[in-house]
Amino acid sequence: HILSTIALYKRTGITIVPEAGTQRLRDVIGKDVTRDEIFQAVELALKNRWQKIKLYFMIGLPTETMEDIDGMIQLIKDVFAMAKDARQKIKVHASFSSFVPKPQTPLQWARREPLADLQDKIFYLKKNLKSFRALDLDTHLPHNGVVETILARGDYRVGNLLEEAFNRREIFSAWDLEFNFPVWKEMIENGPYKDFLDQLPVNERLPWDILSVNFTAHH
């Protein structure tokens, strides 16, 4: 009812977040969305003549295989097939972010997938989806995630990395145009930071273990 009401006023878009390309991997990361639910949302969008569908995926998740990547490609193809069957023209925006393991999450120990592997997956996605003219592919730079992972999972030594980055004029690195990855790569490779990108031992003390998330004091 809400979708059809909004559609009366403005034919806008719908955002769907499958994150992974297969149900197996969605189960691994605890994403409580089924394939049926994804396509129910697409069906609803087509029924209400919404012209834009946004899909958000993540690559480089723990246990990911090329079967999961193929699942993303097939899902996008199925969305276009549904639109064709409904005789509707749609635009699909598919966004692919690279997984960054974050503290205080069940995946905090997982490794960050090597940059070369992520780039291969992005190339594969682009190659297999290039025939869809109404598809806007947004493959976020996976380079940023290398620095993000170190900042997220690093210990006191990250302070030295940030100081060196500042001294080397990496001041506006949050913006893609100002992000000079070769400088960061050199600093990371020459310092004690690469361990933060690897899988962390589950029995090792972590820098953020001193913090209690969602802590409630009982009086």
Side-chain angles (χ1 to χ4, degrees), residues 3 5-13 48-50:
L3 274 183
T5 306
I6 297 170
L8 284 173
Y9 295 102
K10 186 182 178 185
R11 288 187 181 177
T12 178
N48 286 284
R49 300 201 163 270
W50 286 34

Side-chain angles (χ1 to χ4, degrees), residues 61-109:
L61 287 161
T63 77
E64 184 179 75
T65 65
M66 288 312 289
E67 193 179 327
D68 300 302
I69 302 296
D70 285 333
M72 295 177 187
I73 293 165
Q74 190 57 52
L75 199 149
I76 291 167
K77 286 180 176 178
D78 289 347
V79 169
F80 278 111
M82 282 178 75
K84 191 179 177 184
D85 289 346
R87 295 182 179 178
Q88 282 190 48
K89 282 188 177 179
I90 56 163
K91 282 193 182 275
V92 175
H93 174 95
S95 175
F96 298 90
S97 301
S98 302
F99 168 68
V100 173
K102 292 283 175 68
Q104 311 287 9
T105 69
L107 301 176
Q108 64 181 4
W109 296 276

